[in-house]
Each structure stands twice: as structure tokens, then as C-alpha cells.
Amino acid sequence: MDSFTSMKSKLLPLGLYTIEDGSNLYAELKAYAAGLDSVFENLDTMLREYFIDTAQTYGITEREKLIGA
């Protein structure tokens, strides 16, 4: 589930908000979601690179710099 869908599904049951396409709230949630999705993608990459078994890019090269090839 992406950030926008998650925020929307949490706000709708409250009954305080109507999140319609084109509304200010919709645009605001989309903006927050764009930032949050970027952060979550970076966190997923960091988590993958942290472990040797799953590292694909900088996780391997940084370890090689530290302990040698």
C-alpha cells in the first residue's frame, strides 16, 4: 500500500474529511505521499544494503573499502 492510500484509508473512517480528486486536501495528501514514498524507498534500499546477503550496490563496495576485497 502506498502512502497516499494509507493516509486516505486512515482519515476516511473519521468522517471529518472528504478526500475528492481536485480538492486541496487531496493535493496536500498527494504532496505528503510523494515525500514519504521517497523516504520509504531510501529506507528499503538502506535495509537491503545493510546485509551482505542482500546487498547489491554500495553495501558491497563500502564493506570492501573497510575490510578490503
Side-chain angles (χ1 to χ4, degrees):
M1 178 182 302
D2 65 336
S3 298
F4 177 77
T5 308
S6 176
M7 288 186 287
K8 186 176 176 181
S9 68
K10 289 176 176 84
L11 289 173
L12 285 177
L14 297 175
L16 300 172
Y17 306 100
T18 54
I19 303 170
E20 298 171 352
D21 192 13
S23 69
N24 288 338
L25 181 59
Y26 182 88
E28 186 176 357
L29 289 177
K30 279 293 197 178
Y32 289 144
L36 287 171
D37 287 341
S38 174
V39 169
F40 289 135
E41 286 174 20
N42 287 335
L43 288 173
D44 287 341
T45 301
M46 288 173 51
L47 184 61
R48 182 190 71 223
E49 296 299 322
Y50 182 75
F51 298 102
I52 294 172
D53 291 344
T54 56
Q56 297 175 359
T57 56
Y58 69 85
I60 296 169
T61 56
E62 292 302 315
R63 277 195 179 75
E64 287 176 348
K65 287 180 193 175
L66 183 65
I67 59 174

